[in-house]
Amino acid sequence: MPSTLAFGVRAFDSNILVETACPDAFNALQRYIFPSLPRIDVASASPSISICVERVADRFELSVDDVRVTSTTNIESLALAAIKALDEVVIERLTTLRAVHAGAVLFDRQALLLPGISHAGKSSLVAELLRRGATYLSDEYALIDAEGRVHPYPRPLLLRNGNPVQSPVLPEELNSRFAVNAVPVGWILELAYQPNCTWSAAEVPQGEGVMMLLRNTPHALAESPHMLNLFMRAVSGARCYAGHRADAEQAVDHIFALLGISDKRLSPA
């Protein structure tokens, strides 16, 4: 009987326990489940989220909290399913932080937020910013604390790169790195993706910036009334823009011009 391999991760308000008897699955999940967060002692941790992978014939069977999530023959598909399943349960368990669907990168010790729904092209835009020198906060969630600062949500980017299926990509593969500290918001850009359009972005009042965050949070305001104050603090020092953009490479040129970054080299975090 193969021995069980296990590791634990403390992710915000959750203790995650990962168990499997399959070395390939173990290595993949070690690589892609919140890779920049420290591992915790599984013997002493009381898990709030349990991930289990069983190898059945040629398939990987993934369960989260004893609920079957996927069955696949592909190790990358296994990692992708685990990342997405954790997104849902970790965000649901947040207590003090509140999440916004947003790409988020760091430069000049401030966060640039790119709010937008899933499949809005956030990840491709974040990836291009990382290639050009930004530090990675998230391609899916910006986590905002009581002071209005943004915390890293350090999962891999999920990129299609011209393929119908997403693949997990670590920031170091894009010549970047994970951010480690909470930072204030410097800019909020809500850019709708429109193929072949001409770039357009206009500055909007901070009140509209708050609405951008509210439109893109998975939390219900009625259940988290203090969330409005968090978002108002987040926006208080930010410049806010709304508009539309086409492909990511040209959009980043315009973003740098808009924010006054002329040499396309961003300051370290």
Side-chain angles (χ1 to χ4, degrees):
M1 190 76 176
S3 60
T4 299
L5 303 169
F7 68 92
V9 183
R10 175 67 180 172
F12 312 106
D13 299 306
S14 300
N15 286 337
I16 302 167
L17 174 64
V18 180
E19 294 181 299
T20 181
C22 174
D24 290 341
F26 178 81
N27 291 334
L29 297 180
Q30 271 275 34
R31 176 173 173 81
Y32 290 122
I33 289 181
F34 295 118
S36 67
L37 297 184
R39 280 25 187 164
I40 58 177
D41 180 6
V42 297
S44 60
S46 177
S48 48
I49 302 171
S50 296
I51 294 178
C52 179
V53 177
E54 295 181 277
R55 190 71 185 266
V56 181
D58 64 341
R59 304 191 70 82
F60 301 100
E61 308 282 345
L62 171 68
S63 298
V64 177
D65 292 337
D66 297 321
V67 176
R68 181 67 53 84
V69 172
T70 193
S71 175
T72 179
T73 59
N74 183 280
I75 197 76
E76 191 170 90
S77 297
L78 171 71
L80 183 65
I83 292 166
K84 290 187 172 184
L86 278 174
D87 280 349
E88 184 174 339
V89 291
V90 168
I91 295 302
E92 189 178 80
R93 289 174 175 271
L94 292 176
T95 56
T96 58
L97 301 173
R98 284 296 172 261
V100 174
H101 280 292
V105 300
L106 170 64
F107 61 93
D108 290 338
R109 296 175 176 82
Q110 297 180 91
L112 165 63
L113 303 189
L114 303 160
I117 60 173
S118 296
H119 311 298
K122 300 187 302 294
S123 295
S124 61
L125 192 52
V126 168
E128 185 62 25
L129 285 161
L130 299 189
R131 292 186 187 100
R132 306 270 283 269
T135 300
Y136 182 57
L137 285 161
S138 178
D139 74 333
E140 183 62 17
Y141 288 112
L143 303 184
I144 297 176
D145 67 18
E147 303 303 317
R149 299 172 301 173
V150 177
H151 292 244
Y153 184 71
R155 71 162 200 180
L157 294 88
L158 301 184
L159 299 177
R160 287 189 170 83
N161 293 325
N163 298 314
V165 179
Q166 294 170 313
S167 297
V169 176
L170 297 175
E172 52 261 39
E173 298 175 64
L174 302 169
N175 297 316
S176 185
R177 64 190 185 279
F178 288 104
V180 295
N181 298 315
V183 293
V185 180
W187 307 268
I188 302 174
L189 275 71
E190 189 174 58
L191 300 171
Y193 173 66
Q194 298 176 8
N196 304 315
C197 76
T198 300
W199 161 273
S200 174
E203 190 163 4
V204 297
Q206 289 182 336
E208 177 57 25
V210 174
M211 293 305 299
M212 292 175 186
L213 303 185
L214 286 171
R215 282 195 295 269
N216 290 285
T217 180
H219 308 293
L221 184 57
E223 298 173 3
S224 302
H226 67 290
M227 182 169 61
L228 179 60
N229 290 331
L230 270 63
F231 290 174
M232 290 175 66
R233 292 189 188 105
V235 171
S236 64
R239 297 184 68 177
C240 307
Y241 301 86
H244 50 259
R245 56 100 178 174
D247 69 273
E249 186 173 349
Q250 290 183 354
V252 170
D253 287 338
H254 288 291
I255 289 171
F256 282 175
L258 186 69
L259 305 187
I261 302 170
S262 58
D263 63 357
K264 302 179 184 176
R265 289 178 299 175
L266 307 181
S267 300

